[in-house]
Amino acid sequence: MEYRYGLMTVQWDDEDRSLVLIDQRRLPNRLEYIRCRSHEQVAECIRSMAVRGAPAIGVAAAFGLALAAINSRARDRESFMREMDAAFRLLRSTRPTAINLFWALERVMGKGRSAGSVEEAKVSMLSEAITMLKEDLDVNRRLGDHGSSLLNDGDRVLTHCNAGALATVGYGTALGVIRAAREKGKRISVIAAETRPVMQGARLTAFELKHDGIDVSIAPDTSIGLLMARGMIDKVIVGADRVLRDGHVFNKIGTYQVAILAREHSIPFYVAAPLSSFDLKSRVDEVTIEERAYDEVVKVSGKRVAPRGVRVFNPAFDITPPHLITAIVTEKGVLEQPYEQSIARVFNPS
Ligand code: MRU
């Protein structure tokens, strides 16, 4: 099965009526795929981070709900919608921070709610998920194209976590910008911060950039200040799990300190995020930051590295305030400060 699906993170097998996901827990050592035939399986893949990254989680969840629909044996709309509500709630509960999860589930659920019959609901919920998969690829291409103008030939670009093909259906957001710049003939080299404790930078960003022949080096998260002080980083670009209407960005833990370091060293700090990652309703203090497992911190490759009984803080995301962000790249263009206005304009064009 190796490479049969290429680096497409989320795929729908129409013949088999199943969702095929790259198992990101096994990367970079093994490229394996998981086939999901039920919404419970999809929920488990999201919870355990077999699939991760805001846009990928969203599209996977959309197919989770579509699978619940096509597997349903309900005959009347009421019992069908009761089943859909239960599946919706299960999928919603998997991870709390990336807004794409809720956005995607709402879209597919909306199709179920507005359908006139169970059969119609099944068809339109599945077709909405398929549309979202295609849209994700298209959105990333457009976002990459806009963002590529921010990078110059020869730039050395730092990224944190993985906002690449593996975090989306394919191509990526922050790494999509890098791919697009390369496609335009610019030579770009990438520094991937390791991203403790789950190591998305070392495991996933390094894997997918090497896979595509893009120059990549890994650096410990703790080395970024020194690399910047030595003039080894020209630009920073990261993804986002949620962008608020005033430009606050929730992204992988460690992003905030990278942004502060970038400001200290006058290095542009860019965020790449599709409009599906924007949350125009919540205030900063209303967003839940996921706390992940104790073992992620006290163990390395399954081996204990901290004393028993020690307390642990393991927040998965942090919040970068808008004044530290040079620009936010979306599929509709590059947004600049003040974000309150540029974000409002992109959602309500006059
Ligand atoms: O915990 P993860 O691996 O799901 O976190 C992923 C990130 O923080 C990404 O930077 C973000 O989702 C953007 S992906 C295009």
Side-chain angles (χ1 to χ4, degrees):
M1 184 114 149
E2 176 109 339
Y3 289 100
R4 182 171 156 201
Y5 296 98
L7 272 195
M8 278 277 281
T9 304
V10 183
Q11 291 179 79
W12 176 246
D13 183 338
D14 208 33
E15 223 167 277
D16 189 58
R17 311 282 265 182
S18 58
L19 180 69
V20 181
L21 301 170
I22 291 181
D23 187 347
Q24 302 193 37
R25 295 165 302 187
R26 304 217 177 264
L27 289 173
N29 299 323
R30 293 160 82 131
L31 181 57
E32 287 179 2
Y33 298 85
I34 308 178
R35 204 173 268 279
C36 299
R37 294 196 168 84
S38 71
H39 68 279
E40 289 94 342
Q41 259 180 302
V42 176
E44 189 43 37
C45 284
I46 298 173
R47 199 184 295 283
S48 66
M49 292 175 71
V51 62
R52 36 65 52 201
I57 293 172
V59 178
F63 279 103
L65 200 50
L67 277 168
I70 61 178
N71 290 336
S72 169
R73 299 226 172 120
R75 294 183 176 203
D76 58 276
R77 273 201 85 251
E78 255 170 44
S79 37
F80 176 78
M81 285 316 290
R82 263 200 306 279
E83 284 181 27
M84 292 311 100
D85 269 328
F88 178 87
R89 272 186 272 112
L90 177 74
L91 289 158
R92 249 191 94 91
S93 68
T94 49
R95 295 193 71 188
T97 310
I99 185 93
N100 305 61
L101 175 67
F102 313 116
W103 166 86
L105 287 169
E106 274 302 334
R107 258 182 79 165
V108 176
M109 197 66 177
K111 293 290 169 185
R113 287 193 199 105
S114 62
S117 68
V118 172
E119 269 325 298
E120 190 191 321
K122 291 184 178 191
V123 172
S124 68
M125 288 169 80
L126 177 58
S127 105
E128 187 69 357
I130 294 171
T131 302
M132 289 167 73
L133 182 148
K134 292 181 185 149
E135 266 177 22
D136 187 75
L137 286 168
D138 178 54
V139 157
N140 291 338
R141 287 265 173 195
R142 283 191 281 137
L143 184 155
D145 195 44
H146 287 298
S148 63
S149 61
L150 301 171
L151 302 184
N152 297 326
D153 187 32
D155 270 351
R156 295 153 305 168
V157 181
L158 171 73
T159 189
H160 188 69
C161 192
N162 172 265
L166 291 166
T168 58
V169 172
Y171 203 68
T173 56
L175 300 191
V177 169
I178 289 164
R179 285 193 168 93
R182 287 241 322 173
E183 283 161 20
K184 291 185 174 154
K186 298 178 187 175
R187 282 159 302 170
I188 308 290
S189 57
V190 179
I191 297 177
E194 279 180 317
T195 320
R196 274 274 301 158
V198 181
M199 311 297 275
Q200 289 94 332
R203 294 191 306 110
L204 308 177
T205 295
F207 173 81
E208 71 165 82
L209 294 182
K210 271 191 101 304
H211 179 271
D212 280 9
I214 298 175
D215 182 329
V216 58
S217 315
I218 300 170
D221 304 327
T222 42
S223 71
I224 304 310
L226 181 76
L227 300 192
M228 286 185 178
R230 287 194 169 163
M232 292 166 69
I233 295 170
D234 299 304
K235 286 171 189 153
V236 179
I237 185 156
V238 297
D241 288 85
R242 203 186 277 233
V243 182
L244 302 192
R245 63 175 176 271
D246 60 0
H248 276 89
V249 167
F250 290 74
N251 192 48
K252 181 53 53 197
I253 193 74
T255 302
Y256 175 41
Q257 58 206 40
V258 172
I260 291 173
L261 285 167
R263 172 56 53 98
E264 172 68 17
H265 296 91
S266 306
I267 294 170
F269 179 92
Y270 300 117
V271 173
L275 297 185
S276 56
S277 297
F278 283 67
D279 172 359
L280 303 185
K281 293 202 183 101
S282 308
R283 290 194 321 261
V284 176
D285 55 356
E286 289 170 338
V287 179
T288 305
I289 292 191
E290 180 181 9
E291 277 285 333
R292 291 199 63 88
Y294 183 87
D295 275 6
E296 281 183 359
V297 177
V298 298
K299 291 184 179 169
V300 171
S301 306
K303 191 172 181 297
R304 200 164 178 107
V305 293
R308 281 179 201 286
V310 70
R311 273 200 312 275
V312 154
F313 297 114
N314 190 16
F317 301 98
D318 62 22
I319 311 162
T320 302
H323 71 272
L324 296 177
I325 301 169
T326 312
I328 304 177
V329 186
T330 74
E331 68 271 32
K332 291 266 173 78
V334 177
L335 312 185
E336 283 172 359
Q337 301 194 27
Y339 295 117
E340 197 101 50
Q341 285 161 33
S342 55
I343 292 173
R345 259 199 310 276
V346 87
F347 280 91
N348 304 299
S350 47

